[in-house]
């Protein structure tokens, strides 16, 4: 089968981090390597970077099957792609997958999409291709069908490494913040924690499992780029595993720089591991700090404390490891709450932060609680981007909420001290590039402010 895999471009209304990061389409690279091993011919198109229309690529590659994967904000974009593809050739089979499809597959139901993968993504995709090739009946519980329960069987990882060569023409464009020419690797699946706002556990039905360390080292040695983004939902879970990982990096002389996700409590309680990991390449950590208010941390079931967050940030700073702090903006907040977070961010000396209004995604514990207060329709998927305000604030207007959010960004991070820090550490050119990207995001926020 001739297969065309597509990574969608965000909708124009999506407040997009693509202005400060574009990462490689790792999930499509996995599909490519494993499909080609079964004799299928695969091409990958990255629509974030491409300028031409979908119809151009359909005519160019003339595929038998098109596979598309994306997140919640891509749902309407993907449906639009499907319509355009079918208009070019109604015989093309369209398969949709990804994390949102696995948790909320019904959102993708439309006449143009033939198969929605709701479980065991790579395996199911390959099985569909094989059955289409043989013209066999396709009837699997891992494909969405109303009133049929899915069966998630993949609790181990036994697939071929991603086919990174398939996106060679795009590789120079992939980066995350200051991590340029950045490659991705995934070493674990799911999350062992149960924060109320988080979508991660839903993807694996609450299961958590990880790959064998030697297998990870072999993949790392096959990656050409020095900058590596480990995209596990939380890489720092098991102290012994991380120590073993670091020892293997030394043993095999793997010389790379790492960006990871981690919880503050692990960092605060394991300074020795952070020091060890720094010695073998840890460069930056995305930390879900979430709040500077103890009550909010309890409400989110975060199971951390403000003092723990502070200790974690100090440890990262001690070893010159960049901290990208992520925060949830409460729906009950008033101006003093925004002021308090601004003061706390300045106190800690954080330069890079991501501020997200509390977004109760479907299937999370918070969804039913806030559903009656939604101010953005659930079918306006492009605005469910963890940046738009989707729930009516309790104590202030929508316009004021956006105004205080913009002010918080500027007051906390846009100042001469932060600018000088970035220039000294990353140079003038990279600082200017990131600043331009951040400005574009702020323009989107200003539009929300005007719209109210």
């Amino acid at each position: 089968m001739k297969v065309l895999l597509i990574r969608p471009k965000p909708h124009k209304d999506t407040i997009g981090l693509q202005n400060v990061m574009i990462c490689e389409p790792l999930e499509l690279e996995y599909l490519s390597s494993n499909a080609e091993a079964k004799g299928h011919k695969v091409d990958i198109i990255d629509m974030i970077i491409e300028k031409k229309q979908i119809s151009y690529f359909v005519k160019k590659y003339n595929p038998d099957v098109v596979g598309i994967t994306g997140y919640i904000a891509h749902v309407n974009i993907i449906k639009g792609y499907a319509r355009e593809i079918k208009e070019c050739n109604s015989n093309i089979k369209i398969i949709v997958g990804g994390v949102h499809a696995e948790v909320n597959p019904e959102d993708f139901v439309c006449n143009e999409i033939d198969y929605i993968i709701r479980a065991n993504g790579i395996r199911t995709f390959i099985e569909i291709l094989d059955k289409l090739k043989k013209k066999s009946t396709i009837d699997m519980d891992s494909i969405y069908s109303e009133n049929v329960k899915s069966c998630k069987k993949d609790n181990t990882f036994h697939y071929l490494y991603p086919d990174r060569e398939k996106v060679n023409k795009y590789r120079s464009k992939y980066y995350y913040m200051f991590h340029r020419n950045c490659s991705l690797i995934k070493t674990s699946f799911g999350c062992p924690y149960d924060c109320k706002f988080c979508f991660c556990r839903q993807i694996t039905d609450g299961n958590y499992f990880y790959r064998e360390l030697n297998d990870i080292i072999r993949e790392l040695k096959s990656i050409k780029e020095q900058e590596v983004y480990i995209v596990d939902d939380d890489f720092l879970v098991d102290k012994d595993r991380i120590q073993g990982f670091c020892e293997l990096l030394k043993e095999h002389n793997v010389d790379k720089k790492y960006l990871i996700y981690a919880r503050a409590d692990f960092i605060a309680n394991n300074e020795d591991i952070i020091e060890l990991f720094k010695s073998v390449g840890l460069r930056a950590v995305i930390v879900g700090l979430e709040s500077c208010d103890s009550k909010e941390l309890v409400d989110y079931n975060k199971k951390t404390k403000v003092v723990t967050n502070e200790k974690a940030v100090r440890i990262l700073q001690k070893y010159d490891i960049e901290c990208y702090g992520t925060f949830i903006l409460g729906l009950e907040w008033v101006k003093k709450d925004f002021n308090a977070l601004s003061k706390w961010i300045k106190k800690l000396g954080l330069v890079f932060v991501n501020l997200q209004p509390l977004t109760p995604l479907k299937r999370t514990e918070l969804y039913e609680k806030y559903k009656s207060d939604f101010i953005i329709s659930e079918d306006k998927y492009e605005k469910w981007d963890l940046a738009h305000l989707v729930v009516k604030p309790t104590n202030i207007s929508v316009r004021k909420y956006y105004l205080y959010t913009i002010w918080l960004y500027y007051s906390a991070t846009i100042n001469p001290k932060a600018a000088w820090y970035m220039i000294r550490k990353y140079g003038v050119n990279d600082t200017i590039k990131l600043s331009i990207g951040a400005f574009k995001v702020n323009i989107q926020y200003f539009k929300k402010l005007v719209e109210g």
Side-chain angles (χ1 to χ4, degrees):
M1 306 291 289
K2 289 192 295 181
V3 182
L4 181 62
L5 300 176
I6 298 173
R7 200 253 288 269
K9 182 177 183 176
H11 191 280
K12 63 181 179 61
D13 289 336
T14 298
I15 297 176
L17 290 177
Q18 71 275 5
N19 291 306
V20 294
M21 55 167 278
I22 303 176
C23 295
E24 66 182 313
L26 186 67
E27 67 282 8
L28 299 186
E29 295 168 355
Y30 266 117
L31 293 178
S32 176
S33 61
N34 287 275
E36 290 209 330
K38 296 296 293 290
H40 306 288
K41 173 68 172 67
V42 181
D43 290 287
I44 296 177
I45 296 299
D46 192 335
M47 292 302 293
I48 293 179
I49 298 172
E50 292 287 356
K51 304 299 182 185
K52 295 183 173 64
Q53 298 295 312
I54 285 292
S55 56
Y56 168 85
F57 297 105
V58 173
K59 293 172 184 176
K60 177 180 178 179
Y61 293 101
N62 190 28
D64 302 302
V65 174
V66 170
I68 315 173
T69 184
Y71 301 96
I72 182 172
H74 295 114
V75 172
N76 287 330
I77 289 287
I78 289 173
K79 287 181 177 179
Y81 285 176
R83 286 191 293 271
E84 191 173 350
I85 292 164
K86 290 290 190 179
E87 286 172 2
C88 291
N89 184 346
S90 61
N91 293 320
I92 294 173
K93 297 298 182 183
I94 299 176
I95 306 172
V96 169
V99 295
H100 190 72
E102 293 208 9
V103 180
N104 298 296
E106 65 279 0
D107 289 351
F108 289 96
V109 172
C110 64
N111 293 331
E112 293 80 13
I113 294 176
D114 298 286
Y115 307 104
I116 303 166
I117 297 177
R118 64 182 307 178
N120 316 318
I122 299 174
R123 181 198 306 177
T124 302
F125 185 78
I126 304 304
E127 288 181 5
I128 293 173
L129 295 183
D130 290 345
K131 289 179 181 293
L132 287 172
K133 184 176 182 179
K134 297 174 183 176
K135 295 182 170 53
S136 303
T137 301
I138 299 177
D139 183 16
M140 295 179 280
D141 57 14
S142 54
I143 297 174
Y144 176 70
S145 180
E146 192 176 6
N147 300 322
V148 175
K149 183 176 175 59
S150 70
C151 180
K152 296 194 175 185
K153 300 176 181 176
D154 284 349
N155 290 326
T156 59
F157 200 81
H158 47 269
Y159 298 105
L160 299 176
Y161 298 152
D163 184 358
R164 296 182 171 88
E165 301 297 319
K166 274 289 187 296
V167 291
N168 270 346
K169 64 179 178 179
Y170 305 126
R171 294 209 73 83
S172 64
K173 306 287 187 181
Y174 294 141
Y175 72 102
Y176 187 104
M177 301 283 282
F178 294 107
H179 309 264
R180 299 204 171 269
N181 295 339
C182 183
S183 194
L184 308 188
I185 186 171
K186 192 163 181 64
T187 79
S188 69
F189 303 83
C191 180
Y193 302 96
D194 54 357
C195 302
K196 290 183 179 180
F197 56 84
C198 191
F199 199 63
C200 299
R201 286 176 60 83
Q202 315 304 320
I203 300 165
T204 58
D205 284 351
N207 295 315
Y208 174 72
F209 58 99
Y210 44 76
R211 293 168 56 187
E212 195 267 328
L213 288 179
N214 283 309
D215 184 46
I216 297 166
I217 296 298
R218 283 192 293 273
E219 183 176 350
L220 282 172
K221 292 170 75 172
S222 74
I223 294 174
K224 297 176 182 178
E225 290 76 17
Q226 187 180 41
E227 295 282 351
V228 176
Y229 178 9
I230 301 176
V231 293
D232 299 17
D233 297 319
D234 185 352
F235 185 64
L236 302 184
V237 173
D238 184 324
K239 180 174 181 177
D240 291 339
R241 181 173 184 260
I242 303 306
Q243 184 170 346
F245 174 71
C246 293
E247 290 170 354
L248 285 172
L249 290 176
K250 288 183 177 180
E251 179 183 333
H252 290 269
N253 296 312
V254 179
D255 180 21
K256 297 189 183 297
K257 303 298 181 184
Y258 302 96
L259 164 66
I260 65 171
Y261 283 98
R263 283 174 58 95
D265 50 1
F266 184 97
I267 297 169
N269 295 329
N270 296 279
E271 182 176 348
D272 57 331
I273 294 296
I274 300 304
E275 182 180 16
L276 174 62
F277 203 166
K278 168 66 177 182
S279 72
V280 291
L282 181 59
R283 182 183 182 193
V285 184
I286 304 169
V287 187
L289 299 172
E290 317 309 357
S291 179
C292 64
D293 182 274
S294 297
K295 182 181 180 301
E296 287 183 340
L297 292 174
V298 172
D299 290 343
Y300 298 152
N301 199 32
K302 186 68 182 179
K303 298 178 181 176
T304 57
K305 299 178 180 179
V306 174
V307 66
T308 307
N309 286 344
E310 293 178 350
K311 183 178 180 182
V313 173
R314 298 300 184 204
I315 288 173
L316 294 178
Q317 291 171 335
K318 177 179 178 180
Y319 295 103
D320 192 28
I321 299 168
E322 201 68 81
C323 178
Y324 299 138
T326 66
F327 295 91
I328 296 174
L329 308 181
L331 299 172
E332 297 80 19
W333 281 19
V334 293
K335 187 176 182 180
K336 69 178 181 65
D337 298 298
F338 289 89
N339 288 341
L341 181 55
S342 174
K343 183 178 180 180
W344 193 70
I345 290 171
K346 290 177 181 177
K347 169 189 166 184
L348 292 181
L350 290 173
V351 176
F352 305 106
V353 299
N354 183 23
L355 309 175
Q356 300 178 341
L358 182 63
T359 304
L361 296 172
K362 189 161 57 174
R363 301 285 196 273
T364 64
E365 190 172 336
L366 294 178
Y367 176 78
E368 292 298 332
K369 177 180 177 180
Y370 290 104
K371 185 176 181 181
S372 61
D373 296 320
F374 289 170
I375 57 175
I376 291 181
S377 172
E378 290 186 74
D379 61 0
K380 299 291 184 183
Y381 298 100
E382 54 275 6
K383 295 183 178 181
W384 286 76
D385 51 13
L386 304 184
H388 276 82
L389 184 62
V390 301
V391 179
K392 182 178 176 59
T394 305
N395 298 311
I396 58 177
S397 68
V398 171
R399 181 172 279 116
K400 279 191 174 180
Y401 198 99
Y402 279 121
L403 175 63
Y404 295 154
T405 299
I406 294 169
W407 175 86
L408 176 55
Y409 265 121
Y410 275 88
S411 67
T413 63
I414 308 299
N415 54 67
K417 184 178 180 181
W420 179 237
Y421 169 85
M422 287 188 285
I423 290 171
R424 281 190 296 109
K425 190 164 185 178
Y426 300 109
V428 174
N429 288 340
D430 278 355
T431 299
I432 291 174
K433 288 178 182 177
L434 183 69
S435 298
I436 291 172
F439 178 74
K440 290 179 180 178
V441 174
N442 281 317
I443 289 296
Q444 291 180 294
Y445 270 114
F446 274 114
K447 288 180 179 178
K448 300 297 119 184
L449 174 61
V450 172
E451 293 169 2

